Amino acid sequence: MGTVTLGVSIAVPEPYGSLLQERRAGFGDPVAYCIPTHVTLLPPTEVDRALLPAIEAHLAEVAAAGRAFPMRLAGTGTFRPISPVVFVQVVEGAAACSWLQKRVRDESGPLVRELQFSYHPHVTVAHAISDEAMDEAYEELADFAASWSCGSFSLYEQGTDGVWRELREYAFGGAVGSVPAQGSPVDEPVEPAEAAEPAPSTS
């Protein structure tokens, strides 16, 4: 049956998801429209396609044990010079993301793997583009802020065209929902928080 490249992530809901994707494209990132705006829980991972049923069952178990939690994005950060990434910071919800990603990669499950870098939840807005464009992304999104109630995560597959497409959404606690309808966006300005020293991750 061959292999498939999968990823697990929390989608950033509308209107924020499209806004950040458009800004990423505007900074000159060529893969902006190939990658839905997200917070990574499992970076790109190649697996045997035959494992998909077991993977989906495993993720359903992880989601069933989870509960909705507040997510808040504010300000920018970067992994440079270690990795050419500029990102929007996750200033609330990081602990819940860490809990989830550990369970997704649990050694007893079908997605066990080591990470290249320590896990640091974030939303990539520029990757591997010119230093000038990276600086622009860092500065222009410094005042960005968004909040919502995170009620699910999703499994994605990367196609042969490089585009990531959702295979299935997993709502916490077994509830039914869709990512764009997660909570109500909060429009009040949010002060960027001080982030811990970041370690790059693959997203």
Side-chain angles (χ1 to χ4, degrees):
M1 295 180 67
T3 62
V4 60
T5 300
L6 303 177
V8 179
S9 64
I10 294 169
V12 175
E14 299 302 342
Y16 308 119
S18 292
L19 185 153
L20 289 177
Q21 190 175 49
E22 290 169 3
R23 295 304 299 276
R24 182 171 179 172
F27 298 133
D29 193 323
V31 301
Y33 290 117
C34 296
I35 307 172
T37 308
H38 68 283
V39 176
T40 297
L41 298 178
L42 178 78
T45 302
E46 187 175 335
V47 301
D48 190 322
R49 186 177 290 275
L51 289 176
L52 271 174
I55 289 169
E56 293 188 351
H58 168 64
L59 294 177
E61 289 182 2
V62 173
R67 295 294 179 268
F69 60 91
M71 284 281 285
R72 184 162 62 98
L73 311 179
T76 48
T78 182
F79 294 137
R80 294 184 292 174
I82 298 172
S83 183
V85 174
V86 171
F87 57 87
V88 170
Q89 299 183 63
V90 175
V91 297
E92 186 175 5
C97 291
S98 182
W99 184 90
L100 284 168
Q101 65 90 22
K102 286 179 181 177
R103 280 150 184 79
V104 167
R105 296 185 300 106
D106 190 89
E107 62 183 13
S108 66
L111 291 172
V112 59
R113 59 159 292 174
E114 295 295 325
L115 299 180
Q116 183 180 3
F117 302 105
S118 298
Y119 182 72
H120 182 83
H122 63 280
V123 178
T124 298
V125 291
H127 178 228
I129 55 179
S130 71
D131 286 338
E132 293 78 8
M134 300 277 275
D135 291 340
E136 181 183 3
Y138 185 89
E139 293 167 4
E140 290 195 9
L141 291 172
D143 294 328
F144 178 84
S147 299
W148 72 95
S149 176
C150 178
S152 66
F153 61 81
S154 294
L155 173 66
Y156 291 84
E157 176 182 349
Q158 186 179 37
T160 55
D161 55 0
V163 176
W164 287 90
R165 298 177 177 87
E166 184 183 63
L167 293 181
R168 181 177 170 187
E169 181 188 0
Y170 299 85
F172 298 137
V176 176
S178 65
V179 171
Q182 289 176 12
S184 300
V186 176
D187 294 324
E188 291 81 0
V190 180
E191 291 296 327
E194 289 292 328
E197 185 66 23
S201 63
T202 53
S203 66

